[in-house]
Structure formats: structure tokens, C-alpha cells
Amino acid sequence: MRIGVRGHDVAAHTPQALCEKLDVLGVHEIQLVAHKSFPDFVYSEETICELAEIFKRRGIHVAVYGCYIDPLSDEGQARFHEHIRYAQILNAGCIATETALGITNAQDDEARYQALVPVFRRFADDAAAHNVRCAVETVRVHPLCSPEKTTRLIADVGSGNLYAILDPVNLLESDADPRRAEKTRRAIELYGDKILAVHWKDAQADANDPAIQFALKNENVTVITEGLTGETLKNTIQQLKQIGEEN
């Protein structure tokens, strides 16, 4: 099973320090948002090329290049198209975003959904032209709010280059929602062939969780820890590795 971490969950203010800490964790896959990992980072082709060279030397692969923007704003769209080039330089597994920023409660806003379709078609096409896969993450309080809405967007965009990030927690209506396994299985059933990465937010790794089971059966899917830090992160990584070794 491929295991990765969200880069900015690892306390390291330079690329070199991040690589060293990833070595200690025994992990070489990351989700990268450079300015969150490195506070002084300034985006340019030059700085991204330098970062790509450091990662290449240290055997670090950017499984997910995070570019979380408001896709319905001109600024957000311009930023995403710019960062497609950076994802290409880094040889990232994909460039990913959500369909809104923050809590929007826009899950029933059909007009916003319809406006997203041509935007993601342009994103997917531009990414394909640069040999980068484009991925979208589902969030319950965003226009792309459910497995059904996600598979609808993939179909409406009509591009072979639109993929998905599966975050089981983001599918839940509340922390008390008992349907996590059900909703995870539904996402896998509808568009499992499009899922490139799974976000894992629990301190305890569960070998019977459908998202973990899916990753075990699909060697090209990376399980990326999110929001876990310090000893908790270290312990969870070890649990995930053990699950991978035993299955």
C-alpha cells in the first residue's frame, strides 16, 4: 500500500528539513502545498525547479499537488492554470482542488454546480496538455457534496483527465454521521477507477475501513494522512505500514 503525508503536517521550514523528516518517518510520498510547508516560499518556475531537484535527489514523490482555490473566481482560475505548470515540473501525480473555499453550504446550489462544469473542463484539458492529471475533492458543504454529485461532474465534464480525491470524513453530514462506510463504498462503486488518493484523518488506522481496503487492492492509490502531527502521525504511519505488510 502506498502511504504518504500532507507536507505541511510535518514541522519543517525548508525542503531539505522536510526530506529529512520524511526519511525518519519512512515515507516518500506527499501532498504538497509549498507555501504552507515553507512559509517564505515564493512561487516561480525557478523556485519550483529547485524544489523538484531536491525532491528528486531525495526520492520524494509529490502524489498530490494541492492548489485549493475558489474555482468560480477569476483569480482562482488563473492560479490553478498557473500551478498546472508547477505540478508538471514536479512530476506530480495530480493537481487537486475542491469546488469552493471554506464552508459554503452550497450543496444544493444548482446554478453554482452548472457554472463549475466548464471551469473543470478547462482545468482538465489544460492539465492534459501538460501531461498532468486533474483531480477534484468532494466536500459535503460544497457544490460537489456527495459521491453522486461527483460522478455527475465527471460525466458532465466529459474529460478522461478529471480524477478524484476520496476523503471519507468530507462526505459526512456531521461528526455523528453513522454512514461513513456506506458513503465511502458508494464513492468507490461510482468512480473508483478515478480515485487517485485517499485522505486519512484518523489516528487509528483501520484495516477493515473500505477506503483502506480500496487502497490495498489498488497499488496506484496513495493513502495520505491529513491533520495528524508529531507522535500521532508517526504512530499512524506505522499502523498503515503494518496493514500494508499484513495484507
Side-chain angles (χ1 to χ4, degrees):
M1 181 168 65
R2 295 174 66 170
I3 302 167
V5 302
R6 195 172 64 167
H8 53 283
D9 288 331
V10 179
H13 293 304
T14 68
Q16 293 86 352
L18 175 60
C19 291
E20 289 170 5
K21 292 199 172 185
L22 292 173
D23 278 343
V24 172
L25 286 170
V27 170
H28 297 93
E29 302 257 350
I30 62 169
Q31 175 165 325
L32 178 70
V33 181
H35 66 276
K36 289 187 176 182
S37 284
F38 319 121
D40 297 327
F41 193 84
V42 177
Y43 288 99
S44 70
E45 288 199 7
E46 181 180 0
T47 57
I48 292 291
C49 284
E50 291 171 355
L51 188 56
E53 183 58 33
I54 292 169
F55 286 165
K56 183 178 179 180
R57 286 200 307 268
R58 300 298 294 266
I60 303 301
H61 176 240
V62 179
V64 177
Y65 182 96
C67 184
Y68 290 84
I69 46 93
D70 176 0
L72 293 183
S73 73
D74 291 342
E75 179 183 357
Q77 292 174 28
R79 183 176 179 84
F80 197 84
H81 286 291
E82 173 191 357
H83 282 252
I84 286 171
R85 280 71 174 164
Y86 300 155
Q88 179 188 33
I89 293 168
L90 286 161
N91 195 30
C94 67
I95 181 171
T97 187
E98 296 169 356
T99 55
L101 286 176
I103 298 174
T104 64
N105 294 314
Q107 53 265 41
D108 297 319
D109 192 331
E110 179 64 17
R112 288 185 70 167
Y113 170 81
Q114 291 293 342
L116 286 167
V117 173
V119 171
F120 274 88
R121 188 175 293 127
R122 290 193 293 271
F123 286 171
D125 289 349
D126 188 18
H130 291 83
N131 200 30
V132 176
R133 293 182 293 187
C134 177
V136 63
E137 184 174 343
T138 312
V139 182
R140 179 72 184 102
V141 292
H142 287 178
L144 204 68
C145 60
S146 67
E148 291 77 13
K149 209 73 169 285
T150 305
T151 197
R152 180 183 169 195
L153 181 69
I154 291 171
D156 288 347
V157 167
S159 168
N161 197 45
L162 183 59
Y163 294 85
I165 306 296
L166 174 59
D167 187 323
V169 173
N170 283 357
L171 301 177
L172 305 181
E173 294 186 15
S174 70
D175 291 340
D177 189 338
R179 296 175 295 167
R180 172 169 164 172
E182 174 190 337
K183 291 182 176 183
T184 300
R185 290 190 187 99
R186 182 62 173 157
I188 292 167
E189 174 190 351
L190 290 174
Y191 51 91
D193 61 327
K194 288 288 188 176
I195 295 172
L196 300 178
V198 170
H199 283 163
W200 188 260
K201 295 176 175 175
D202 300 329
Q204 183 68 39
D206 181 0
N208 295 315
D209 185 275
I212 297 293
Q213 286 292 313
F214 175 74
L216 284 168
K217 296 172 184 175
N218 293 270
E219 61 181 16
N220 293 323
V221 172
T222 306
V223 177
I224 298 173
T225 59
E226 178 178 340
L228 306 178
T229 60
E231 285 299 308
T232 301
L233 174 61
K234 179 181 177 180
N235 291 336
T236 305
I237 290 295
Q238 291 306 312
Q239 293 168 27
L240 288 168
K241 285 185 175 183
Q242 184 174 352
I243 289 170
E245 291 167 0
E246 294 177 351
N247 293 270

